[in-house]
Amino acid sequence: MLNALTRKSQLDHMSKFEYDLLIIGGGITGAGIALDASKRGLNVALVEMQDFSQGTSSRSTKLIHGGLRYLKQMQVNVVKETGRERAIVYENGPHVTTPEWMLLPFHKGGTFGEFTTSLGLKVYDSLAGVDKNERRNMLTKKEVIERVPNIKTDGLKGGGHYVEYKTDDARLTIEVMKKAAAYGADAVNYVKADGFLYENGIVTGISAKDMLSGDVYQIKSKAVVNASGPWVDEVRGNDVAAKQQTKKHLVHTKGVHIVFKQEDFPLTQAIYFDTKDDGRMIFAIPRAGKTYVGTTDTFYGEDKSNPTAEAEDKAYLIDAINFMFPTLNADVSMIESSWAGIRPLIQSSGSKNASDISRKDEIWHSTSGLITIAGGKLTGYRHMAEEIVDDVADYLKKHFKMNVKKVSTIDEPVSGGDVGGSVGYQNYVENISRKAPSYGLTLEEGFHLAMKYGSNVETVYQYAGITNDNHEKYELPKLLYAEVIYGMLHEMVIKPSDFFVRRSGKLYFEINDVLNYRKGVEQLLQDTLSYDDNARQQYAEELDAAIQDTKR
């Protein structure tokens, strides 16, 4: 269990135990590795120097998609693998992944024409193994306009209609992490791998610094995997052998998304469309009463821990919007919030355009025994994890004569995913929602919680039912109070930003809730977790900065 109240004792335990596998990095890749390895019966530890998913894994386009653009680049195997993986992700976690019909309009002179759109989507459906009821259909110009009335009509010829999958990337990560913890993995946030431990030149663990207390621990493990995303090269830099052996390194690109109120950008149909000048394509997606648009793709060499949407990023997206939706007259002042994320990509020779660099993952081995996973995509996290753990199993067999069983996570629901799969999900939500009034919640609130937490929702209901009006003490709605308590006890929420940014996404899509309830949440966290006023002030300032970054 990812319990913030027992975090300190968990760290004490981790420093006294030798693990089979230690993972550096608590994004979706690290979480996936932890789940795969712990299901195989390995003793697993994971450390993350920030909050879980605070880096790339909470800053994506929030789509589990099959990589249609890779078909254009003739990367057939990539389309086949990611297309099939997205169906697995959906089936194992329908509460964090939702089918989303996407419109791909084609205009005269655009990236796609009628023939290429029809053929491309048909091949896409075949490669990805798309279910019959989700296969593409072609739309006339009139049908496109009916779905997206404010689309550019000049040169419009029609469109393709196909299914992608919308996700909450940060919640997907935490649900995978929670499932790994259910199998026995010890995962802790805000712990930095400061250096490696060695015996005879072989990595045997890490020196770990608790970023909250300043305490330093030694965590020992037979195998160590570096899954630190944008920080892969920095972690490898602490291992002399890895630094000397591998000439490849990461290059970082930045992706920015901007969010509008629905009244400023009315959209009920997700759309994937051409930009005006550079031939890139971007998404506009309705979500939670808002519309968000992205992404950019530019080289980035600044602070990886805090990328932000700069004026030129926003201007690029505004220009793209006004090109495809000329009647909107979109303006930077209409942007309600934004986020920026870093993509850690493997440097390839001759790639001058950020969008041309491969998103493929690679595994690097050091003579010290350190295993590094670099690159990759959100959609392919499960398959990447399987490949890494296969390598770990080989390493453990060779050096420790351990026989690690081969298991599959293809049919392994993530935490909250025990809802009867995608077929039974809606029935589950409707039935479980009826219990909400008995815990002092409305049916609508129960439905909202069930959609978000899946089969974990009854635990959240119980926290709502036993508040004894404590929520009023903190001037919080009962629903929000229950979510914060659940976040602390089951998702290792420590700071206000952990909850408002990554466990709930409110900073991006419900900013008023952040502004209205932050003081109550800050007090509730401090009272429950017993940290001092200095820590509370620091965490409040971090939330202030996050708010400013998203609104700058």
Side-chain angles (χ1 to χ4, degrees), residues 279-551:
R280 291 193 69 252
M281 298 191 71
I282 60 178
F283 295 96
I285 301 171
R287 173 173 169 165
K290 306 293 169 70
T291 296
Y292 71 94
V293 180
T295 178
T296 60
D297 200 6
T298 55
F299 289 113
Y300 183 80
E302 300 172 42
D303 180 11
K304 294 188 289 293
S305 63
N306 191 38
T308 57
E310 305 299 333
E312 57 268 31
D313 301 317
K314 295 179 179 179
Y316 173 88
L317 292 173
I318 290 291
D319 285 346
I321 292 167
N322 285 328
F323 172 67
M324 188 55 59
F325 306 93
T327 61
L328 280 183
N329 296 314
D331 184 81
V332 173
S333 64
M334 296 161 62
I335 298 173
E336 184 177 60
S337 64
S338 63
W339 71 85
I342 304 301
R343 305 180 190 90
L345 308 176
I346 300 168
Q347 178 65 63
S348 53
S349 60
S351 296
K352 296 182 179 180
N353 189 314
S355 296
D356 291 337
I357 300 176
S358 172
R359 269 58 176 169
K360 190 179 184 302
D361 58 284
E362 290 187 16
I363 300 172
W364 302 333
H365 294 263
S366 165
T367 54
S368 68
L370 177 66
I371 302 173
T372 294
I373 176 71
K377 290 174 58 62
L378 175 68
T379 306
Y381 85 87
R382 190 205 63 82
H383 189 258
M384 282 193 296
E386 187 177 76
E387 290 181 332
I388 278 282
V389 182
D390 283 346
D391 273 26
V392 169
D394 290 342
Y395 180 84
L396 292 174
K397 184 174 183 178
K398 178 179 178 181
H399 294 279
F400 299 94
K401 298 187 176 5
M402 288 180 61
N403 289 315
V404 181
K405 62 183 178 182
K406 176 81 171 181
V407 301
S408 175
T409 54
I410 287 178
D411 299 317
E412 182 66 47
V414 301
S415 181
D418 295 308
V419 293
S422 59
V423 175
Y425 175 52
Q426 286 302 324
N427 282 338
Y428 175 86
V429 168
E430 290 174 12
N431 291 332
I432 203 73
S433 296
R434 298 190 189 113
K435 292 186 177 183
S438 66
Y439 294 98
L441 299 167
T442 66
L443 281 172
E444 184 180 2
E445 288 173 330
F447 185 84
H448 165 79
L449 290 175
M451 291 287 289
K452 181 176 179 179
Y453 293 98
S455 56
N456 291 321
V457 70
E458 283 200 84
T459 305
V460 187
Y461 285 172
Q462 289 166 8
Y463 293 133
I466 60 174
T467 64
N468 296 320
D469 297 328
N470 275 347
H471 64 287
E472 295 180 357
K473 169 185 172 183
Y474 296 101
E475 298 183 351
L476 296 175
K478 184 176 287 191
L479 179 149
L480 187 63
Y481 175 91
E483 286 193 274
V484 176
I485 295 294
Y486 179 84
M488 283 188 283
L489 300 184
H490 299 268
E491 298 181 345
M492 209 166 276
V493 166
I494 296 169
K495 303 180 181 182
S497 54
D498 299 341
F499 177 75
F500 283 123
V501 183
R502 289 167 290 280
R503 305 302 186 275
S504 69
K506 287 182 180 294
L507 182 67
Y508 305 134
F509 298 104
E510 299 173 275
I511 186 67
N512 287 335
D513 277 3
V514 181
L515 301 177
N516 292 336
Y517 300 121
R518 61 170 296 180
K519 295 300 182 186
V521 170
E522 288 168 8
Q523 189 66 58
L524 175 58
L525 290 173
Q526 182 183 23
D527 289 350
T528 308
L529 299 177
S530 302
Y531 46 70
D532 61 28
D533 290 341
N534 289 335
R536 174 176 172 168
Q537 180 63 30
Q538 177 189 331
Y539 301 160
E541 289 172 0
E542 290 176 9
L543 182 58
D544 287 337
I547 293 170
Q548 286 302 115
D549 286 343
T550 197
K551 296 176 74 67

Side-chain angles (χ1 to χ4, degrees), residues 203-248:
V203 169
T204 58
I206 62 169
S207 173
K209 181 178 180 180
D210 184 349
M211 304 302 288
L212 303 181
S213 69
D215 295 336
V216 177
Y217 300 85
Q218 289 191 345
I219 305 175
K220 296 182 179 180
S221 180
K222 296 181 180 71
V224 179
V225 166
N226 172 16
S228 55
W231 289 271
V232 153
D233 285 340
E234 282 84 347
V235 172
R236 289 169 66 233
N238 290 329
D239 177 29
V240 176
K243 187 163 57 176
Q244 290 176 343
Q245 283 177 310
T246 307
K247 294 182 179 179
K248 289 185 178 181

Side-chain angles (χ1 to χ4, degrees), residues 108-275:
K108 183 178 181 181
T111 300
F112 292 95
E114 181 174 6
F115 174 76
T116 55
T117 299
S118 178
L119 179 61
L121 290 177
K122 187 173 183 179
V123 172
Y124 182 70
D125 284 348
S126 176
L127 289 173
V130 174
D131 288 343
K132 187 175 182 179
N133 62 345
E134 293 184 354
R135 291 176 187 167
R136 72 97 172 95
N137 56 81
M138 300 302 294
L139 305 177
T140 65
K141 175 180 178 179
K142 180 182 177 182
E143 289 171 327
V144 170
I145 294 172
E146 286 174 351
R147 283 172 168 79
V148 189
N150 49 16
I151 197 169
K152 182 179 74 164
T153 57
D154 184 24
L156 178 64
K157 293 191 161 190
H161 209 215
Y162 69 105
V163 169
E164 293 285 21
Y165 289 80
K166 186 165 58 178
T167 191
D168 184 326
D169 48 6
R171 286 218 57 81
L172 173 62
T173 300
I174 199 68
E175 298 292 28
V176 175
M177 195 77 75
K178 284 156 65 180
K179 191 56 178 275
Y183 273 109
D186 289 327
V188 186
N189 55 2
Y190 296 109
V191 174
K192 182 179 181 180
D194 255 354
F196 293 103
L197 309 177
Y198 295 90
E199 283 186 18
N200 300 318
I202 301 299
V203 169
T204 58
I206 62 169
S207 173
K209 181 178 180 180
D210 184 349
M211 304 302 288
L212 303 181
S213 69
D215 295 336
V216 177
Y217 300 85
Q218 289 191 345
I219 305 175
K220 296 182 179 180
S221 180
K222 296 181 180 71
V224 179
V225 166
N226 172 16
S228 55
W231 289 271
V232 153
D233 285 340
E234 282 84 347
V235 172
R236 289 169 66 233
N238 290 329
D239 177 29
V240 176
K243 187 163 57 176
Q244 290 176 343
Q245 283 177 310
T246 307
K247 294 182 179 179
K248 289 185 178 181
H249 64 277
L250 295 187
V251 60
H252 301 106
T253 69
K254 182 174 75 168
V256 167
H257 298 79
I258 54 179
V259 182
F260 299 84
K261 296 177 182 176
Q262 270 281 336
E263 53 263 37
D264 290 331
F265 192 163
L267 191 69
T268 57
Q269 163 70 67
I271 184 169
Y272 188 33
F273 63 95
D274 284 303
T275 54

Side-chain angles (χ1 to χ4, degrees), residues 12-20 43 186 219-221:
D12 290 339
H13 157 75
M14 292 169 72
S15 68
K16 299 171 184 174
F17 186 79
E18 184 186 43
Y19 290 89
D20 299 322
N43 290 313
D186 289 327
I219 305 175
K220 296 182 179 180
S221 180

